[in-house]
């Protein structure tokens, strides 16, 4: 389980580095350096969250931002608490950290719900490994779904994944208890049979 999850984290972080981190440097490396246009907007929202609450749109005076702001508050809090510059948090740390958290949570959730460690590891591999396979252009672009087109275009997606996966675990426990079998009962029955 540990090696499978660690391998998934390593694969996805390497892939994320190639599709996001290397393509979007914090500082320009040459005159031809380009950065994805939404990243400056996202950084402005995190800067707004770092200095004001409730959050407003930095580009429009007195216009409140009532949606999609949790991830930017998370970045602002990381910057404030850690004493790390906001561009470093926004362009280097947040996305890889949230992806790692989502991978580990997926693996733990699969294990808890099924009672089998390999199910959790397989769920993480399928979601973040096989889930990145691009079946429309498998030769010219073998990977390219979540990380290339979804995760870093807006913080809401990956931030919501982490929260959603974390909420599913207690809900699965409640449902299992309602059905008369807690997920840990499977583990206890295996212990008794092995003794």
């Amino acid at each position: 389980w540990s090696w499978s999850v660690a391998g998934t984290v390593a694969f996805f972080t390497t892939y994320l580095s190639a599709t996001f981190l290397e393509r979007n440097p914090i500082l320009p490396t040459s005159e031809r350096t380009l950065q994805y246009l939404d990243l400056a907007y996202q950084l402005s929202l995190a800067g707004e969250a770092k200095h004001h609450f409730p959050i407003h749109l930095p580009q429009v005076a007195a216009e409140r931002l009532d949606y999609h702001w949790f991830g930017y508050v998370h970045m602002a809090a990381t910057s404030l608490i850690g004493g790390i510059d906001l561009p470093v948090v926004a362009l280097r740390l947040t996305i890889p950290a949230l992806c790692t958290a989502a991978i580990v949570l997926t693996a733990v959730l699969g294990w808890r719900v099924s009672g089998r460690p390999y199910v959790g590891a397989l769920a993480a591999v399928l979601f973040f490994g096989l889930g990145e396979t691009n079946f429309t252009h498998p030769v010219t672009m073998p990977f390219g779904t979540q990380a290339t087109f979804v995760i870093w275009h807006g913080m809401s997606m990956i931030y919501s994944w982490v929260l959603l996966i974390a909420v599913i675990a207690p809900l699965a426990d409640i449902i299992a208890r309602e059905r008369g079998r807690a997920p840990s009962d499977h583990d206890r029955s295996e212990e008794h049979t092995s003794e």
Side-chain angles (χ1 to χ4, degrees):
W1 184 88
S2 299
W3 284 107
S4 298
V5 173
T8 305
V9 168
F11 163 77
F12 201 78
T13 303
T14 303
Y15 174 62
L16 192 62
S17 174
T19 60
F20 172 64
L21 300 174
E22 292 174 11
R23 293 181 185 181
N24 297 289
I26 294 174
L27 296 173
T29 55
S30 72
E31 290 182 9
R32 296 178 1 169
T33 298
L34 300 175
Q35 192 177 68
Y36 183 68
L37 61 111
D38 281 1
L39 295 177
Y41 173 70
Q42 292 175 23
L43 186 59
S44 74
L45 292 177
E48 174 70 14
K50 187 173 178 178
H51 299 289
H52 303 107
F53 195 83
I55 300 173
H56 289 78
L57 285 169
Q59 296 78 10
V60 182
E63 182 70 29
R64 284 181 48 148
L65 179 65
D66 293 322
Y67 63 95
H68 293 286
W69 58 269
F70 293 107
Y72 305 109
V73 171
H74 177 82
M75 285 193 285
T78 302
S79 176
L80 284 169
I81 293 168
I84 305 167
D85 289 338
L86 196 53
V88 173
V89 171
L91 298 174
R92 290 294 174 265
L93 302 177
T94 300
I95 300 294
L98 289 173
C99 288
T100 298
I103 291 167
V104 172
L105 283 168
T106 300
V108 170
L109 175 64
W111 184 351
R112 284 186 63 179
V113 169
S114 70
R116 295 173 179 86
Y118 71 88
V119 172
L122 183 61
V125 168
L126 290 175
F127 189 12
F128 289 92
L130 188 63
E132 276 304 303
T133 304
N134 182 359
F135 294 104
T136 57
H137 300 286
V139 175
T140 59
M141 190 174 167
F143 299 106
T145 57
Q146 300 168 38
T148 306
F149 301 112
V150 178
I151 290 175
W152 53 273
H153 287 212
M155 284 293 303
S156 298
M157 180 63 75
I158 186 61
Y159 193 76
S160 66
W161 283 352
V162 172
L163 297 177
L164 179 65
I165 296 166
V167 166
I168 291 172
L171 292 176
D173 285 344
I174 292 168
I175 291 169
R177 266 190 248 117
E178 290 295 320
R179 289 185 173 174
R181 185 194 78 77
S184 58
D185 289 346
H186 177 74
D187 298 331
R188 286 191 208 115
S189 66
E190 286 184 351
E191 287 174 14
H192 292 300
T193 56
S194 64
E195 293 173 359

